[in-house]
Every structure is written in C-alpha cells, then in structure tokens.
Amino acid sequence: MTKNFKGQHAAVLGLGRSGEAAARLLLECGAAVTVLDSGEPAPRRKAAALLSSRGARVVLGGDALRCVQDFDFAVLSPGIDPSVPLVQRPMEAGVPILGEIELAFRQCHCPVVAITGTNGKTTTTGLTAAVLNAAGLRAEACGNIGVPFSDVAARSASLDVAVVEISSFQLESTDTFHPRVAVWTNFSANHLDRYPDVEAYRAAKLRIFERQTPDDFAVVNARNGLPRLEARRIKFTASPELEADFTLGSHGMITHRGHPLLAMSSTHLRGPHNAENIMAAFAVGFCLGADAAGMIPGVKKFLSPPHRCEFVREVDGVTWINDSKSTNLDALTQAILGQSGRVILIAGGKNKGFDFAPLTALVKERVQEAVLMGEMRDVIARDWERVIPCHSVSSLEQAVHKARALARPGDTVLFSPGTSSFDMFKSYEERGELFKQFTHQITTIKPTTNYKNLISMKIPLFTKMAGRSRSRKIVRASAAQATRADESEYYEAEPNMKLSHAFMVVLVLHIVAVGGIYAFNKINASKKALQAPAVVEKTSAAVPEVVAAAKPVPAQPQRMPGDADEPLPAMGGSLMAATTAATKTVTQPAAAKLAPVAAKEPAATKVVTKAETVPAGATPATYKVVKGDNPYSIAKKLGVSQDELLKANAIEDPRKLQIGQVLKIPAKTH
C-alpha cells in the first residue's frame, strides 16, 4: 500500500541507519521532516549535515528533548525504547507514533515477506532472497538484516517482493503492516531486560500474523505451538518425531511431503537449525509460485552471514568459530550442538534478565572448559562451575588468550556469547569483528614469556632439535599432575609475528652456541674421566648401596642425547652438568684400569649395580639424586617400579626432587 505524506509535518525519532532512511523516504514523499536525537551529537553530525542539505531540520543532544512543535505523526527508529523521554514527550502530546517498518510498508509497491523469530532470522532472510532470485523473482533482503526497509521501499516499484527481517521491537510499532507471507523461525526466551516476561515478548512477535487473511501464508516451525491463525499454515521441522510439510530425512535430506528436495551435504550450511532455515526459504518460494529446481542453486551457493557460526581460522590444529550473533540461550544451544569434539567455549555479555542454568546439562556433556566475560560472567560461573572449569576474564582479548592456552589440537574454540553485546560493544558485529581480529593475531606456535622454560625444552621445537621421538613439552611424573591449567602458566598468545620470528632466530643461534659448548665439555669430561681414580664410599658388607662418584667415572659407554634406552637429561640451568657420570656403575673395562686403587679398599666395600633384595632387618640400599634425574629415569636405572620408588620415599610431588637427596631403594625387584 502507499500513502501520500505530502505537506505533512513528521518527526523522526532517532538518527541511526533506520531513522536516516525514514527521513530520506519522507523527504522524497514531500513531507516536512524534523529529526530529533538526544544522544551524543558528535557521531551523528555527518548524517545530520546530509539530511540538512536535503531540506530536513535536525536537532541533536539535549535540545532534542526541548523541541516543542506540532507534528502530524512521529516515526520511531527500532533501536529506541518507547519509554525514554524522547518518545514519551510526543506521545503525551497526542502525536501518533509509527514504526520505521510501518512507514516503509505504507510506501512499498510490492508484496512483502516478513520473517521473525528468536534465532535464524538473518540467515533465513538472506536464504529466502537468494532462492527467490535464483528462481527468477526480483527480491531484496532488508529490515533488521542491515538495509533499512525504508530504503528498499523507495525502489520497490522495480521489485517482485521485499524480504523483510523484523524484530519484536519493530513489530511493537506496526499498525497496518500486512505481509503476504509471514515466517516464524522459532521461539525461546529473550529480551527479558525489555519485556516484563516471556509472554509479553511472545505477544510482540505474534503481531506479525495480526493483519493476515486466508489468502496469505504463515510459514511456521512445528516445534512451537501457535494460536489459531487466519493465514494458511505451512509447517517445517528438523525434529524426526514431529509431522510437518518440510522435514529432515535420513542422511540429511530435506524433503517436502516425503519427496526429496536437497541434501544438506550439498550446501555450505551445517546443523539442524540451518536445515530448518533452508526449509523456511523453500516454503516461501512455494507460496509465491517459485519452482523447486530453480530455487536449489540459490541454496547451494548461499554462504552463512558473518558472525553466525563463522569459521575464522585453524591454528595448531585448533578451530576458531565466531558466533557473535548468539544473543540468547537458544542460539548458544544450537551453536554448541553444531560442534564436534572438545569445545572451549567463550560466553557472556550483557545481563538480559535470564540465567544460564538451563544449559548446564548440555554444557557438561559437550563443553570442556568455559571462558566467561561481560556482566554475566559471575552469573554464568555460578550455574556452570560445578560441572566444568570456568575462567573469568575482563576483556575479549583476554578471553582469546585464555582460550588459546586451554585449547589443544583437535579442539574447537567457540565464541558464542549467548547474550547481547551492549555492555562492552556497540553491536554484535563489532564484537565479532574484534574476536576475528584477536584470533588472527595468534601465532602458529604457542609462544612463551618464560625464557628459562624455553631452554628447559617446554616446547616441541627443542625436542625435535635434540633428536627425541616423543614430546617433552611438560615433564610430569604422573597423569594426575599433567593438567591443562599447568600449561596455561607457560603459554600466552604473541601479538606480533615479526617479533616472534626475530625471537626464534635469536633462539636458534643460542641453541647452536649452547650445543657447541655442550659437545666441547662432553669430550673434555670423557678424557678426564678415563684418567680419574675411582673413589667409593665405605659401607658394611651387609648394607648394599649405590655408590656416588666423587669425580666423573667412566660408566657404560658414554650416551649422547637421543639414546633410546635412557631418558635425556633436562637442559635447564647448566647443560654442562649433564656430562657428570654420577651414579653410573663401573663397567668391566673401566674396573680393570682402576684395579690398583680398588685393591686398597676393604673387601667389605660393595658397589651396587642394580636394586637387590634387602635381607630382613638390614638397612635398605640408598640412591643419591643428581642433575637430570627424574623418578622415571631413577626407577629404570635401579630396575624397580616408579610407583614403588615414590611410595618407599613418601614422595607426593615428584617434581620436587632435590639434587643430592638420598632415596631409599625399595626391597622388591622387578
């Protein structure tokens, strides 16, 4: 329908995208336009200047609240709460209030498809426009999707259909709005910071069907029970237990009344929620007479809009997904269900009046750890911390860094806030773009801020240089101590690739130098060891023990890093200390060279070369810890079980072994 506004005096409340488009449309219709915006003037001056140049009067800041003038009607921008003074003043003066959607509809020259719901509106709007255009209908997507309906209405005479995404806020201020096809994607609790309860929110959504007649169509999700509608109802669902016109069959096949239409695998979209979005788009096409074969290419070419389970990148085997459009619990639920494998979830944002407790069971089943941010972080933590580890951060950048530290190859980092962005960002788009920016700053090797840890072989790079076949990123005596939290203290994301590359070059040069020193000292130690006399500790013949060498003693042939039958000494502190041959047993060739010295020792002196069974009542054998030792290597040398060694010495934390510490050798041998 079209209405003549020529000669009328209109107020436009709010100078956002929709308000600016409404002002342009009214000017084209010959109305006298005054734009009022009580927000901060600076960001709006450019738009104000453009409208002023076209003949509009623009009043910004506090002056907008003091503007008293007779208006024939006022147009409300969708982002403005009707309860604020800017809206209440004209309402109290008896000025009729129209929404921007209502204004655009009155000036639209083509049929309208309106799409609402809690989730999936934007994807379904884009899909619908795509399939209609593929089938030969001239369609344009607009409304809450980004392009104001007022802009499309101005050129609607050249279109076959306008596809309008419409929110509950926009539906509140409609009067004559009458879509040819109304789509209800789904419904769940949302916007409880604006509505007193869920029923009030639902009532606002249901206004989309209010003006429809039996000649119109209502495309609805079979999962949601709706009241009696005047329009002809067409149902869709991805739930196998429900009956509908459009369903999701076996092997991901979308069917219409039992006839196959399209396999999900042939599209760029994934998940049952996207299957329902496709079904809704097909249903709209059928309502408008489009051919199924003509619509299918439009679905196959369609790409998911930004910020809706958007793949960002893969780093070190970790997949990063941006789902910033997730502004409610249902969207968060669908995002989690759409992932496979371990999930590190980043969630939280503005407090919209609902809690996250209903998702606890799903989170326990599908999420490994959660990184929480925004106003809701403490509320969410109280609901979830009993089932998964929760980490609170104060910014999105910190959230990305924390998720980076927690994730390991094969994991998915899912940024799906589950609530709106207005506590920290201007919009979910800004939030999503910043997430992608921080994600793209991640380097491909987890860097560390601890230089000593680098030299101590706590990244895989050094194990490769040392010729080791297994990773020694973090040495732990038992799996119980090898927690993800331990790794987070070593790693954090590096924001600058150039600095990272320069640092790695310096590091490699350092390794080469240290390796040369290591080899030089190893050779010198070997030469000295061949000439050094053996010094052994005196002991009772009844008490076997491992003899500690006072000076390097040639043991079994000197092992170089990488020998398969003995753990590599740790590289922390001094690499040269690894050349000490303490605790090595004397081989036969070496014993022959040292015979003159050994002959002077009492016959009772005994060198213990392996763990032996200790007679009842005898003092147990002992072992002195040296540099490079760990429970595994000690147990292997002595031929005993690592668990028995730890138990015999009452060692709870194997990492706290001290050099020089004397250990009892367990009596039991293996």
Side-chain angles (χ1 to χ4, degrees):
M1 65 178 292
T2 58
K3 181 175 176 62
N4 186 7
F5 292 110
K6 188 172 183 178
Q8 295 195 40
H9 194 178
V12 175
L13 308 179
L15 190 51
R17 275 186 302 195
S18 296
E20 186 179 353
R24 288 196 299 266
L25 179 60
L26 286 168
L27 289 170
E28 291 176 9
C29 293
V33 178
T34 299
V35 180
L36 305 174
D37 193 307
S38 58
E40 176 61 36
R44 297 164 175 81
R45 294 200 186 282
K46 183 176 180 180
L50 288 173
L51 290 175
S52 295
S53 67
R54 295 189 178 190
R57 178 188 176 211
V58 182
V59 183
L60 302 177
D63 292 339
L65 297 176
R66 294 186 287 271
C67 182
V68 180
Q69 196 168 345
D70 290 333
F71 298 109
D72 295 307
F73 64 93
V75 177
L76 177 63
S77 297
I80 297 181
D81 190 330
S83 65
V84 301
L86 182 68
V87 183
Q88 287 297 308
R89 285 179 180 272
M91 288 179 67
E92 291 168 358
V95 176
I97 304 294
L98 303 179
E100 184 265 338
I101 292 289
E102 177 69 22
L103 170 70
F105 177 74
R106 293 185 181 188
Q107 294 305 116
C108 190
H109 298 270
C110 66
V112 170
V113 172
I115 298 171
T116 196
T118 302
N119 297 301
K121 297 187 298 294
T122 301
T123 301
T124 303
T125 301
L127 264 170
T128 301
V131 300
L132 294 178
N133 279 295
L137 296 173
R138 295 168 299 175
E140 187 167 351
C142 59
N144 209 42
I145 196 171
V147 179
F149 187 17
S150 293
D151 278 344
V152 173
R155 53 180 179 267
S156 59
S158 62
L159 297 175
D160 294 315
V161 61
V163 184
V164 185
E165 177 187 340
I166 186 166
S167 70
S168 59
F169 301 163
Q170 293 167 316
L171 284 165
E172 288 175 6
S173 53
T174 57
D175 181 19
T176 64
F177 183 66
H178 177 182
R180 179 81 172 92
V181 182
V183 179
W184 179 280
T185 60
N186 50 61
F187 181 82
S188 61
N190 199 11
H191 299 303
L192 297 184
D193 53 338
R194 170 138 174 181
Y195 296 100
D197 51 43
V198 175
E199 284 306 312
Y201 169 55
R202 185 170 180 269
K205 288 283 189 187
L206 287 171
R207 289 176 62 86
I208 195 170
F209 305 113
E210 206 166 72
R211 296 274 174 176
Q212 285 194 300
T213 71
D215 293 329
D216 302 317
F217 296 92
V219 176
V220 302
N221 194 314
R223 286 186 290 127
N224 302 135
L226 297 177
R228 181 181 176 277
L229 303 176
E230 291 294 328
R232 286 171 282 180
R233 192 182 305 215
I234 298 176
K235 296 181 181 180
F236 63 87
T237 184
S239 301
E241 68 275 8
L242 298 177
E243 293 184 0
D245 299 282
F246 291 85
T247 56
L248 184 62
S250 59
H251 308 295
M253 177 63 69
I254 294 175
T255 64
H256 176 231
R257 296 175 181 172
H259 300 288
L261 280 179
L262 178 70
M264 284 293 292
S265 59
S266 66
T267 74
H268 297 285
L269 304 176
R270 296 292 179 267
H273 61 295
N274 274 321
E276 291 186 338
N277 296 336
I278 294 172
M279 294 177 205
F282 274 135
V284 171
F286 284 1
C287 293
L288 299 179
D291 179 63
M295 291 189 287
I296 287 174
V299 180
K300 289 184 175 181
K301 294 178 182 178
F302 183 80
L303 298 175
S304 181
H307 315 299
R308 292 158 184 83
C309 286
E310 173 189 14
F311 172 81
V312 180
R313 66 183 299 210
E314 182 179 311
V315 188
D316 293 342
V318 177
T319 300
W320 294 76
I321 301 293
N322 168 33
D323 190 40
S324 181
K325 183 64 168 64
S326 164
T327 58
N328 53 70
L329 296 187
D330 190 59
L332 175 55
T333 299
Q334 297 301 326
I336 294 173
L337 289 173
Q339 310 307 315
S340 58
R342 283 171 40 105
V343 172
I344 306 298
L345 175 65
I346 302 176
K350 186 178 187 296
N351 192 336
K352 295 171 66 176
F354 51 78
D355 62 53
F356 282 61
L359 269 64
T360 302
L362 175 66
V363 165
K364 179 181 179 181
E365 178 186 354
R366 305 293 291 269
V367 176
Q368 192 72 17
E369 302 193 41
V371 181
L372 307 175
M373 53 182 272
E375 291 178 359
M376 291 289 287
R377 60 184 177 182
D378 294 334
V379 176
I380 303 172
R382 283 196 295 271
D383 291 333
W384 292 355
E385 62 188 358
R386 70 180 185 275
V387 297
I388 62 168
C390 294
H391 311 271
S392 292
V393 296
S394 58
S395 70
L396 180 54
E397 185 173 16
Q398 287 181 11
V400 170
H401 287 182
K402 186 64 179 177
R404 168 66 164 153
L406 296 173
R408 62 192 189 198
D411 288 359
T412 295
V413 175
L414 173 63
F415 177 47
S416 188
T419 186
S420 63
S421 60
F422 299 123
D423 59 332
M424 300 170 69
F425 310 94
K426 294 178 182 177
S427 64
Y428 75 81
E429 292 97 339
E430 181 188 57
R431 179 171 66 181
E433 289 301 324
L434 284 172
F435 173 76
K436 292 192 287 185
Q437 175 184 322
F438 295 141
T439 300
H440 281 296
Q441 290 174 356
I442 296 172
T443 55
T444 56
I445 296 178
K446 289 185 180 180
T448 176
T449 54
N450 190 328
Y451 182 78
K452 183 178 178 180
N453 286 340
L454 282 173
I455 303 302
S456 300
M457 302 177 67
K458 287 183 177 164
I459 60 175
L461 171 68
F462 293 93
T463 65
K464 293 178 182 178
M465 291 183 174
R468 302 294 287 175
S469 62
R470 60 186 178 89
S471 171
R472 294 186 58 183
K473 184 165 60 175
I474 296 181
V475 177
R476 292 289 184 269
S478 66
Q481 277 109 13
T483 63
R484 302 300 299 164
D486 289 333
E487 290 189 16
S488 65
E489 66 184 81
Y490 299 138
Y491 300 135
E492 63 180 27
E494 175 153 295
N496 190 309
M497 284 292 290
K498 292 182 179 179
L499 289 177
S500 177
H501 292 162
F503 178 71
M504 292 306 296
V505 170
V506 172
L507 201 54
V508 169
L509 292 175
H510 176 80
I511 292 168
V512 172
V514 171
I517 296 172
Y518 175 82
F520 176 77
N521 283 278
K522 189 79 172 179
I523 294 170
N524 282 347
S526 298
K527 290 180 179 179
K528 292 178 181 179
L530 293 174
Q531 302 171 358
V535 179
V536 295
E537 296 180 2
K538 296 182 180 181
T539 183
S540 167
V543 184
E545 71 174 350
V546 177
V547 181
K551 293 185 180 181
V553 178
Q556 296 179 358
Q558 292 284 341
R559 289 182 171 87
M560 296 302 290
D563 286 355
D565 61 342
E566 183 174 333
L568 184 67
M571 292 176 64
S574 170
L575 287 173
M576 285 69 77
T579 63
T580 304
T583 77
K584 304 268 186 179
T585 57
V586 181
T587 60
Q588 291 301 324
K593 295 181 180 180
L594 299 176
V597 178
K600 298 178 182 180
E601 295 297 330
T605 302
K606 180 180 180 181
V607 177
V608 179
T609 59
K610 67 176 183 177
E612 299 177 2
T613 302
V614 180
T619 305
T622 59
Y623 175 84
K624 187 178 290 184
V625 178
V626 298
K627 233 180 220 308
D629 274 344
N630 60 57
Y632 174 81
S633 63
I634 296 172
K636 187 171 182 179
K637 291 177 190 176
L638 302 176
V640 298
S641 162
Q642 177 180 309
D643 291 337
E644 291 173 355
L645 180 67
L646 297 176
K647 183 177 180 181
N649 292 276
I651 297 174
E652 295 182 359
D653 188 350
R655 295 172 294 179
K656 296 183 179 179
L657 285 181
Q658 301 292 324
I659 295 174
Q661 180 178 347
V662 177
L663 304 178
K664 296 177 183 178
I665 302 175
K668 186 176 180 180
T669 60
H670 298 280

